[in-house]
Amino acid sequence: MQIICLGDSFTEGFGVSEEENWVSLLDHSGSDSYINKGISGDTTSGMLARLHRDVISQHPHAALLIGGSNDVIASGSIEIVKCNMMAMIHQLFHYGIKPILSTPIPCIPEKIMPLWTAYNDFSTYNQKMEALNSWCRRFSHAFMCGYIDLYTPFQEAIAAGGADRLFLDGLHLVPEGQKMAAQRIAQAVHIDTYA
């Protein structure tokens, strides 16, 4: 089965080598083929704009959509994320591609680089991601598409003192965090796809 992963720096693998990225880890872990279509800094509007070129034209079995972080960083809102995700999912259904919706991971505000905090207040980021996660869960249930909750396990890991073990800079993951993401996604995709 071929799965195209469309997203931002989380999908592209900012801060780690290509081999350490969760998409590559999944691609080399079994019979399924995972293709990385992440672009650092991209928003869900950018993902929607390149959906046909990067996903639909390739005719995969499924597409994993993970985005929204940069929308919130740039605008402070999750409303456009909802609109764009809904549009992408309906387009995927139209072309016979199974959509799988996932939520961005939380951040650690005190570890965010000053370059990024200079233009955004990260103190409300996690609250907005939690709200987006809740919406993704409800939307996926309503439209019977795949859903992967990445927010909750990473939030639990942070609360248990795992921030330094998993995070590079408060937003992006080190190799250990990439492994955790790959394990969570593999488990969820396997259950959802083959159930």
Side-chain angles (χ1 to χ4, degrees), residues 48 50-53 55-63 87-99:
L48 176 59
R50 58 193 176 91
L51 181 70
H52 196 278
R53 180 195 72 199
V55 180
I56 294 168
S57 68
Q58 306 304 307
H59 309 290
H61 297 93
M88 285 188 278
I89 286 169
H90 285 297
Q91 288 188 43
L92 291 170
F93 274 133
H94 176 78
Y95 287 100
I97 299 166
K98 180 177 180 58

Side-chain angles (χ1 to χ4, degrees), residues 15 25-26 64 67 82 94 102 114 123 126 139 156 158 192 194:
L25 293 174
L26 288 172
L64 174 54
K82 296 177 185 179
H94 176 78
S102 185
S123 65
N126 287 339
F139 183 89
E156 290 171 351
I158 292 169
D192 180 69
Y194 299 105

Side-chain angles (χ1 to χ4, degrees), residues 148-183:
I148 302 173
D149 179 2
L150 288 177
Y151 180 86
T152 302
F154 276 93
Q155 187 63 31
E156 290 171 351
I158 292 169
D164 291 333
R165 180 176 61 86
L166 301 172
F167 283 82
L168 173 69
D169 55 15
L171 276 176
H172 302 99
L173 300 174
V174 297
E176 186 66 25
Q178 297 284 341
K179 288 177 187 175
M180 179 176 163
Q183 290 166 353

